Amino acid sequence: MQRHHQRPNANNGNNNMAKALDGKVIIVTGAGRGIGREIALLAAREGAKVVVNDPGVASDGSGTDASPAEQVVEEIKKEGGTAVANFETVAEAIPASKIVKQAVDTYGKLDGVVNNAGILRDAIFHRMSIDAFEQVIKVHLMGTFYVSHAAARLFREQESGSFVHFTSTSGLIGNFGQANYAAAKLGIVGLSKSIALDMNRFNVRSNCVSPFAWSRLIGTIPTETEAEKARVARMQQMGPEKIAPLSVYLLGDAAKDVSGQIFAVRMNEIFLMGQSRPIRSVHRDGGWTCESLAEHGMPALKGSFYKLDRSADIFNWDPV
């Protein structure tokens, strides 16, 4: 893995520089708390008019509460920005389309969408309920589709627009007890790449961000052993504000040549993640049988097998 270290320079934090999202209208789903909140706040500081979407559900998707979205809007307005609250769910097509409609009705256009809304219903696979699987898929994968699909027609007509979708190393790499979440998050990667391919001719971009950040969605990680306590302590240092700059950058015109990519963000580190490509091949004249696969084919490939790694096994050094 190639690493590059960027030193701070004199221009960082220069208020005289042009704002990254001047004049743009941005939707951020799940923006009432955590990562979504930080993205909404930074987008507004960078000149965007922001639709702050959040029905205020609990981490498992239950209940509703208008106050998280309203509080973020109030905070943006206190800083001199422009924002409006939206309380629709992304998990159904018609309510999700109303988020896009509100953006256009309120501000006259739409330039970017951040698909951040999510819930968790973790369980070991053989004990996972059908409802737990379906609900996580509906919010994460179907929600990302519904909002993006409603926005795509506008982006096609104006021949511009940017999508930022949130994925996870639980899908990209793996994790225990998250089959529903992993399936949804890896599905989002395929959806994002398809949007990037289909809409590239219309100057519409689509990228994924995989965040490492402490939030209420990972606040249920066990802390029984000293190692678990140390891991959680490290994760708590990774504030959601660290995710916002890349997400906001990807919405702006400066990222006009960035599409179809997967980024991971961990504290001050940004990783460009790999995408599935062939790594080893084997062939046999006349084709394969079960016997020849067992004797030759699979042993020849086995040296390149992936282990049953989890995210923590791959990102096994302290964040920078």
Side-chain angles (χ1 to χ4, degrees):
M1 183 177 70
Q2 294 181 321
R3 295 175 187 251
H4 299 277
H5 174 63
Q6 178 68 46
R7 291 183 177 87
N9 60 55
N11 290 325
N12 286 355
N14 186 344
N15 292 328
N16 296 322
M17 293 178 68
K19 292 183 176 180
L21 300 182
D22 254 346
K24 294 192 181 296
V25 176
I26 304 296
I27 290 170
V28 184
T29 69
R33 303 180 180 97
I35 293 169
R37 174 182 176 273
E38 296 296 335
I39 294 170
L41 290 171
L42 183 59
R45 289 172 192 142
E46 290 289 347
K49 298 177 177 71
V50 184
V51 178
V52 178
N53 162 261
D54 202 314
V57 300
S59 58
D60 65 357
S62 62
T64 56
D65 182 1
S67 60
E70 289 175 341
Q71 287 168 7
V72 174
V73 169
E74 190 63 29
E75 195 168 343
I76 288 172
K77 288 180 176 178
K78 280 183 180 177
E79 294 183 1
T82 304
V84 63
N86 176 282
F87 313 107
E88 301 287 357
T89 177
V90 302
E92 302 290 341
I94 292 175
S97 71
K98 289 180 180 178
I99 306 170
V100 173
K101 185 176 187 301
Q102 183 175 355
V104 176
D105 287 350
T106 306
Y107 299 123
K109 63 170 187 168
L110 179 64
D111 299 290
V113 172
V114 180
N115 285 304
N116 167 74
I119 63 170
L120 281 183
R121 298 278 297 274
D122 291 359
I124 201 78
F125 184 66
H126 63 280
R127 292 179 185 161
M128 182 172 287
S129 70
I130 291 172
D131 182 66
F133 191 89
E134 290 181 345
Q135 290 305 313
V136 168
I137 293 290
K138 284 192 77 171
V139 174
H140 287 275
L141 181 55
M142 298 307 296
T144 296
F145 167 75
Y146 292 143
V147 179
S148 299
H149 193 248
R153 289 184 285 272
L154 294 174
F155 289 174
R156 161 65 182 88
E157 289 170 10
Q158 67 195 27
E159 295 196 354
S160 67
S162 178
F163 292 104
V164 177
H165 315 284
F166 272 74
T167 184
S168 171
T169 53
S170 294
L172 297 169
I173 298 171
N175 210 357
F176 293 138
Q178 292 194 311
N180 48 5
Y181 183 68
K185 288 304 194 183
L186 203 52
I188 287 169
V189 170
L191 176 62
S192 177
K193 189 62 176 284
S194 294
I195 294 170
L197 287 166
D198 286 351
M199 303 200 72
N200 183 58
R201 71 184 79 174
F202 309 121
N203 301 310
V204 176
R205 296 171 286 112
S206 180
N207 293 285
C208 284
V209 174
S210 178
F212 290 79
W214 182 257
S215 72
R216 68 194 182 115
L217 288 195
I218 57 172
T220 56
I221 291 175
T223 54
E224 296 171 9
T225 68
E226 289 304 313
E228 287 172 343
K229 288 177 183 176
R231 180 188 174 213
V232 166
R234 289 195 302 272
M235 293 177 75
Q236 286 174 326
Q237 297 173 13
M238 297 186 283
E241 72 280 356
K242 294 291 188 179
I243 311 302
L246 175 64
S247 306
V248 170
Y249 161 78
L250 290 171
L251 295 167
D253 294 338
K256 65 182 184 348
D257 297 324
V258 184
S259 191
Q261 305 307 308
I262 309 164
F263 301 96
V265 183
R266 196 179 75 145
M267 280 283 279
N268 300 317
E269 302 163 306
I270 296 175
F271 304 91
L272 178 64
M273 300 296 285
Q275 301 185 30
S276 293
R277 299 291 185 271
I279 55 174
R280 180 175 285 199
S281 68
V282 61
H283 71 274
R284 185 182 184 92
D285 290 343
W288 295 95
T289 64
C290 292
E291 184 179 14
S292 62
L293 278 166
E295 290 178 354
H296 173 223
M298 213 50 60
L301 296 174
K302 200 167 187 179
S304 294
F305 278 11
Y306 286 95
K307 297 178 182 177
L308 293 178
D309 292 318
R310 296 177 302 144
S311 176
D313 298 320
I314 301 302
F315 289 90
N316 57 7
W317 67 95
D318 287 348
V320 176

